[in-house]
Amino acid sequence: MSANRTNGAEAPVALVNGRVIDPAAQIDAPGGVLSAGRRIVAAGPDIRTDTIPAEARVIDVGGAVIAPGLVDMRAALGEPGHEHKETLATASRAALAGGITAIACLPNTIPPLDDAPAIEFIARRARENKGVKVFPYATVTRGAEGRDLTEIGLLREAGAVAFTDGTRAVADPLVMRRALAYAKGFGALIVQHPEEPRLSPSGVMNAGEIATRLGLSGIAPQAEVMMIERDLRLVEMTGARYHAAHISTAESVRVIAAAKARGLPVTCDTAPPYFALTEVDVGDYKTFARLSPPLRRFEDRIAIAEGVADGTIDAVASDHQPQDEDAKRLPFAHAAPGMIGLETLLAITLQLHHQNDMPLPAIVRRLSTDPAAILGLPTGNLSPGTPADITVFDPDSPWKIEADRLKSKSRNTLFDGRPVMGRAIMTVVDGRILHEEGLCS
C-alpha cells in the first residue's frame, strides 16, 4: 500500500484502489471515495488515481473494502455515573478501532437522560472528545421507572435520537400505548427492551435444561416474544414507529417478520452474542456469559443468524455493556449482566460472511446503512454531500481477540481468545482520519 499526500486542511482526500460498498446507492465495485473537508464529493468506480484532482491527498487502500462508517445503535458509554467502567474517551477509542463512526448511547446513566440538560451534557462531552459521533437516546419514562412519560417533543429538540428505557422494559401496557401515541405526534421512535419482567423476575440465564442443571433461575424465551406481540398490538392501535432491541429468539424473528409482512412500522436489531454464542457458553458459571437478554438455545442462534441474513433483523448493534471486575467477580446470579462489544462488532459479524456466505454488502447494510436510516442520522452512505464518515476494512485479515489489548476500559468479553477474520484498518469521521492501522503513509 502506498500514499501520496499534499498539505492543506481543506485539500481533497482520495481513498483509491479499494472495493467500494455503499448499499444505499447499490454500489459494489472497484474504485474509491473522494472527500473534501467534512463532506464526501464522490464515490464509486470513477474515483481512480487518474481521475482525481491533482492537489488531492491520495491514500491507496490496497484492495480493502471502503464502506460507510459503521453506526452502532446500542451502547452504554459510562458517562455520566459509571466512569469507572467506561468513559466517552475510552469508548470512542474502542469504537474507532472497530470501524464505528457513530454511536447511539443508552440513557440508563446516573442521572438518567430524561431531560434536556442531560441530553445537552452528552452532546457537549462528545464535542470535547472529538472522536466518534455520539447520539443520545432519552428515556421513555422519567428515571426509566416505567411510569410517567418524559417530554418527548422537548427532548427531540434537545438532540435525543430516539426513546428507550434502555436495559429496562416499558412493562405497563397503558404507559407503552401512551408513549407510542405521544411519540407518533413527533415522528419519534420508541425502542423497547422486550422482556416481560413479571414472567421471570429472578431469572439470570435462559430457562431450560442447562439452567436446571446449574441450579440457576431461568428466563423463558416466551418473556421476549410475549412483550413484542403485546407491543405490536399497540403499534396497530397507534400507528407509531417501534423498534425491538437485541432480539434473541427464533419466535421473535418469526413474529417480527409477520408484522413487517402486514406493513407495520416495525424494525429490530440483535447483537453478536445472539448469533455467535449459545447458553452452552455459560459453561461453569462464567459470569461474562451473563447477558440481558440471556444467551439462548442453538436453534435460536441459527434463527437469529438467518434473520440477519434475510433482513428480518434490520441492524446489528454492539450492545456494549462494560462492567468492571467487581461487578463480574461474583456468583453468577449476582454478577452484573452485559458484555463489551464495540471493538469486536465488525469481526464477529463478519463470521456471517465467512461461515454463512452472507454477502459483504448485506453486512455493511446491517452495520451502517440501516441503523442510520432507523435513527434518521445523516450518515450510513457515501452519497455526495453527506458527512465523510468512512470505514476501510479488510474482511480477510486474521487476528485473535485478546481482552487485555482492547481499548475499552472494561474487559468483560466472552470472545477473549477467539480467532476471527476481518478488522478495520481506517476509520474516518467528518473527513478526519481517527484510526489507521496497516496502511503505509
Side-chain angles (χ1 to χ4, degrees):
M1 299 178 181
S2 64
N4 175 25
R5 299 183 175 182
T6 61
N7 295 323
E10 296 300 323
V13 176
L15 306 179
V16 300
N17 189 27
R19 174 181 173 182
V20 180
I21 295 178
D22 181 7
Q26 297 185 325
I27 296 175
D28 179 9
V33 174
L34 178 67
S35 64
R38 300 163 65 96
R39 301 286 171 178
I40 288 174
V41 175
D46 294 336
I47 305 301
R48 307 183 303 272
T49 52
D50 60 339
T51 63
I52 58 178
E55 71 274 20
R57 172 187 175 186
V58 180
I59 302 176
D60 187 328
V61 303
V65 172
I66 306 174
L70 307 190
V71 177
D72 182 9
M73 65 180 302
R74 186 179 180 85
L77 302 187
E79 292 189 45
H82 296 103
E83 289 85 353
H84 60 295
K85 299 181 180 182
E86 196 75 282
T87 66
L88 260 66
T90 57
S92 179
R93 286 195 291 272
L96 293 169
I100 296 167
T101 58
I103 292 174
C105 68
L106 292 178
N108 302 84
T109 52
I110 303 174
L113 307 183
D114 63 359
D115 59 23
I119 298 296
E120 290 161 357
F121 167 81
I122 295 296
R124 185 174 68 253
R125 290 288 296 123
R127 286 195 301 272
E128 293 169 352
N129 185 57
K130 298 179 180 177
V132 68
K133 293 179 178 177
V134 177
F135 298 92
Y137 286 104
T139 59
V140 177
T141 62
R142 294 191 183 280
E145 294 178 346
R147 294 191 292 271
D148 302 320
L149 297 182
T150 53
E151 297 284 353
I152 288 179
L154 293 176
L155 288 164
R156 274 204 102 197
E157 290 180 3
V161 70
F163 296 83
T164 178
D165 278 355
T167 55
R168 299 178 182 176
V170 179
D172 188 317
L174 181 58
V175 172
M176 181 53 112
R177 191 190 75 175
R178 288 172 173 167
L180 289 166
Y182 189 18
K184 186 173 187 295
F186 297 98
L189 176 69
I190 297 294
V191 178
Q192 173 72 297
H193 170 76
E195 183 176 278
E196 173 49 72
R198 287 160 295 193
L199 191 63
S200 308
S202 61
V204 294
M205 71 169 292
N206 188 50
E209 180 184 342
I210 295 177
T212 301
R213 177 164 51 81
L214 294 175
L216 296 172
S217 178
I219 301 172
Q222 290 81 359
E224 180 172 296
V225 72
M226 283 173 60
M227 183 66 80
I228 293 173
E229 287 184 313
R230 183 207 73 176
D231 288 348
L232 292 177
R233 296 295 182 184
L234 299 176
V235 170
E236 286 179 327
M237 292 172 64
T238 61
R241 296 171 59 220
Y242 172 83
H243 181 91
H246 51 198
I247 67 169
S248 65
T249 74
E251 276 296 283
S252 297
V253 177
R254 183 186 63 78
V255 166
I256 288 173
K260 287 185 172 184
R262 299 204 308 275
L264 294 181
V266 174
T267 53
C268 67
D269 71 74
T270 191
Y274 305 110
F275 57 74
L277 302 169
T278 70
E279 60 184 351
V280 174
D281 290 287
V282 171
D284 189 16
Y285 303 97
K286 296 177 185 174
T287 56
F288 281 7
R290 185 176 174 198
L291 307 181
S292 176
L295 296 172
R296 303 293 189 181
R297 304 167 305 163
F298 175 79
E299 300 93 311
D300 294 305
R301 180 177 76 78
I302 297 301
I304 293 295
E306 292 175 348
V308 174
D310 68 21
T312 300
I313 297 174
D314 305 86
V316 179
S318 74
D319 213 11
H320 184 74
Q321 290 285 344
Q323 301 291 356
D324 58 45
E325 291 189 9
D326 289 344
K328 283 294 189 182
R329 283 185 176 177
L330 294 169
F332 192 92
H334 299 288
M339 179 168 140
I340 59 172
L342 291 170
E343 207 165 339
T344 57
L345 172 65
L346 174 63
I348 300 298
T349 306
L350 280 170
Q351 289 187 359
L352 297 176
H353 168 65
H354 295 299
Q355 299 174 0
N356 300 56
D357 294 327
M358 186 173 167
L360 282 178
I363 297 282
V364 173
R365 178 178 288 280
R366 306 291 181 269
L367 291 173
S368 176
T369 308
D370 283 356
I374 291 167
L375 296 173
L377 303 181
T379 187
N381 65 81
L382 300 175
S383 300
T386 57
D389 298 341
I390 303 166
T391 297
V392 180
F393 67 93
D394 180 350
D396 300 316
S397 175
W399 60 292
K400 186 170 75 172
I401 296 171
E402 297 175 79
D404 289 342
R405 301 186 66 176
L406 298 179
K407 293 177 173 56
S408 174
K409 200 168 188 177
S410 294
R411 298 286 181 264
N412 54 307
T413 174
L414 202 57
F415 294 126
D416 186 26
R418 173 179 285 226
V420 292
M421 291 181 66
R423 67 189 313 163
I425 57 179
M426 179 180 284
T427 307
V428 183
V429 179
D430 279 339
R432 297 172 298 138
I433 299 174
L434 298 184
H435 168 75
E436 188 172 358
E437 180 175 312
L439 285 174
C440 299
S441 301

